[in-house]
Amino acid sequence: MTNDRAVAEIGIVIYPGAQLGMIHGLSDLFWIAGERSKVHGGERLRVSHWERTDEGFRRSFDTMPGAGSCPAVLVVPGALSKVPTPTETEPYARWLLDRHAQGATLGSVCGGAFILAATGLLAGRTATTHWMFGEKFQRRFPDVKLDADKMIVEDGDIITAGGLMAWTDLGLRLVDRFLGPSIMLETAQYLLIDPVGREQRHYSTFAPQLTHGDEPILKVQHWLQAKGGRDVSVSAMAEHAGMEERTFLRRFRSATGMKPTEYCQQLRVGKARELLEFSKRPVDRIAWEVGYEDAGAFRKVFQKRVGLTPGDYRRRFGTAAAA
């Protein structure tokens, strides 16, 4: 016996430039979850799309038209090419704030976090967005505790998801919340989605800050890049920059946002990822090639930076192993 009632309405907010693949992908995921639930005699999810008109915000799509109550969840998708400006976010943020006051849980994917943060509800709370938008997000919303390593951050009435495809993680999390873990797993299996928690740092690459305008520090950065961050002391870096060591440390951190030792770690780990992906060399040899005499220390640093052991990273991303 099937059940055509909705356990909850999940609304997806559509704005100019919003990624259509994300909108329709989430809609399909929730529909599939509802169908799996119906097979077991459970309830469905009502899915709606919300667009701004001259008369205010209205449903432009609704899988179960009728009742006009506030959705249980409103999700703000990301945009394909850019994040919304403060002027663009303002009317959406104001409307979301009102819906939140009515009891709606708010969610975002990728750059949608900019609209969500504009409500002021993320102040003092942890959130995530696409790792490429991290610096821009932090400049615009310095009172938000950004954790761009996380694929998803669930904080009760606020859920934020990271990269462009993190809508799958958010979707499964909401299915789990409303329809339970069994339906969530069935939905993941149907869509061939990995339901296990992932982190963005598995995928993100080190993108050093090179537009800071400090020429001596930029000179050192290019030098470190050429050396792969290997066998370089802070004193040698300071000498290459033509600075006293204390001055160099202060200027380097100001320009790049990290200590020289952390910067070199990122360069070494980046090279190690490349070797793990495209070669069959043993992990111990890769550790030595990127500048670590102690393979155990390399493994610890790699897992801290990437969130996976070198072996797990190779099994997941290694093209040579796959071939």
Side-chain angles (χ1 to χ4, degrees), residues 64-261:
M64 301 178 72
S69 59
C70 178
V73 180
L74 283 164
V75 177
V76 186
L80 263 181
S81 58
K82 66 180 184 67
V83 297
T85 66
T87 301
E88 292 168 336
T89 63
E90 195 273 332
Y92 294 90
R94 188 171 61 247
W95 181 74
L96 287 168
L97 190 58
D98 290 342
R99 301 291 78 71
H100 181 266
Q102 294 180 28
T105 293
L106 302 182
S108 67
V109 185
C110 195
F114 285 76
I115 293 177
L116 195 52
T119 64
L121 294 170
L122 293 183
R125 302 174 73 167
T126 303
T128 189
T129 187
H130 194 295
W131 60 271
M132 286 187 69
F133 299 148
E135 284 189 27
K136 182 179 288 188
F137 184 91
Q138 204 69 88
R139 285 197 301 270
R140 195 183 295 184
F141 305 105
D143 53 354
V144 179
K145 298 174 183 176
L146 182 68
D147 188 349
D149 281 341
K150 293 286 177 63
M151 190 69 78
I152 192 163
V153 175
E154 185 171 5
D155 189 12
D157 58 344
I158 302 287
I159 308 175
T160 53
L164 285 168
M165 294 303 294
W167 61 264
T168 60
D169 300 82
L170 177 69
L172 291 178
R173 192 66 61 94
L174 291 173
V175 170
D176 187 22
R177 178 181 288 200
F178 291 112
L179 299 178
S182 296
I183 300 302
M184 182 273 286
L185 287 170
E186 281 195 34
T187 305
Q189 289 166 356
Y190 185 89
L191 292 169
L192 301 182
I193 300 172
D194 183 0
V196 179
R198 300 179 290 148
E199 297 184 38
Q200 289 200 85
R201 57 183 171 162
H202 299 171
Y203 305 90
S204 60
T205 54
F206 177 46
Q209 175 59 256
L210 300 171
T211 58
H212 44 71
D214 192 330
E215 291 187 13
I217 299 301
L218 183 60
K219 177 184 174 185
V220 171
Q221 287 177 270
H222 288 317
W223 181 56
L224 291 174
Q225 191 73 48
K227 295 179 69 65
R230 292 189 53 185
D231 306 323
V232 184
S233 65
V234 173
S235 58
M237 294 184 222
E239 183 180 349
H240 195 76
M243 297 179 191
E244 186 183 50
E245 194 168 316
R246 281 181 62 183
T247 303
F248 169 74
L249 286 169
R250 175 177 54 80
R251 297 239 317 245
F252 191 93
R253 184 154 196 172
S254 175
T256 67
M258 60 184 68
K259 298 175 183 177
T261 50

